[in-house]
Amino acid sequence: MGKKSIETFVGIFVLLGFAGLVFLALRAANLGSFSSGETYQLSARFDNIGGLKVRAPVKSAGVTVGRVASITLDPVRFQGLVKVDIHSDVKFPNDSSARILTSGLLGDQYLGIEPGAQEKNFAGGEEIKQTQSAVVLESLISQFLFSKAADSGSPTAPAAASGVKK
């Protein structure tokens, strides 16, 4: 093997490594799919969106059916306004509900859509009325700690206040 062929193989190897890094970067940034198929847009309002991000998946029954297009604050209601792009081949009944869910215990958040039972489907631009905000782990922990602190303090408080001496 000549010096030129070794340099060619090294160059190909470097290009494949660079292509692999680009692929991993796109997957990590949730930009792995560049499909520009037909979509329609729905919106939903949430009191707390937690860590939901633009381009987060929209799933129904565990299957990705769209992506989060934008997240803004509604200046009138002071709620998070989430707009999602849904694949046009997927139609949801207009009484469907949306929830912000988490993949695993500490994973990324995504929008889950639970189909309703109505015969009429959402049209583009409509709003999902039934929503459930994100569950924030920190608030759950603080509620648990405060309830335990209140439970542990209550049995000893009446005895100390009664003024009984031993």
Side-chain angles (χ1 to χ4, degrees):
M1 269 182 139
K3 184 177 179 182
K4 191 152 187 124
S5 63
I6 290 176
E7 289 176 353
T8 303
F9 284 126
V10 169
I12 291 171
F13 182 74
V14 168
L15 285 176
L16 287 175
F18 182 70
L21 287 175
V22 168
F23 174 76
L24 286 176
L26 290 175
R27 295 294 288 176
N30 210 2
L31 297 172
S33 62
F34 292 107
S35 61
S36 60
E38 292 292 320
T39 61
Y40 64 98
Q41 195 169 77
L42 297 176
S43 62
R45 296 175 195 276
F46 296 94
D47 291 329
N48 187 349
I49 63 160
L52 188 68
K53 295 178 177 61
V54 174
R55 299 269 317 144
V58 177
K59 296 183 179 184
S60 182
V63 178
T64 301
V65 295
R67 295 263 174 211
V68 173
S70 69
I71 301 172
T72 58
L73 180 67
D74 181 356
V76 176
R77 295 185 185 178
F78 298 105
Q79 292 178 316
L81 178 61
V82 178
K83 293 187 178 182
V84 296
D85 291 331
I86 306 291
H87 301 303
S88 61
D89 58 340
V90 180
K91 303 291 184 192
F92 288 104
N94 63 359
D95 64 337
S96 299
S97 62
R99 299 188 308 165
I100 298 175
L101 302 168
T102 304
S103 300
L105 184 60
L106 297 173
D108 289 335
Q109 291 189 321
Y110 66 94
L111 189 72
I113 297 182
E114 182 91 17
Q118 293 286 330
E119 289 186 23
K120 185 179 178 203
N121 293 331
F122 280 120
E126 290 189 333
E127 183 176 337
I128 301 173
K129 298 291 185 191
Q130 300 174 11
T131 61
Q132 181 179 346
S133 295
V135 175
V136 181
L137 189 60
E138 291 85 6
S139 64
L140 285 178
I141 292 171
S142 66
Q143 286 177 355
F144 175 75
L145 291 176
F146 285 133
S147 70
K148 287 298 176 185
D151 291 345
S152 66
S154 57
T156 58
S162 63
V164 177
K165 296 183 182 181
K166 292 184 179 183

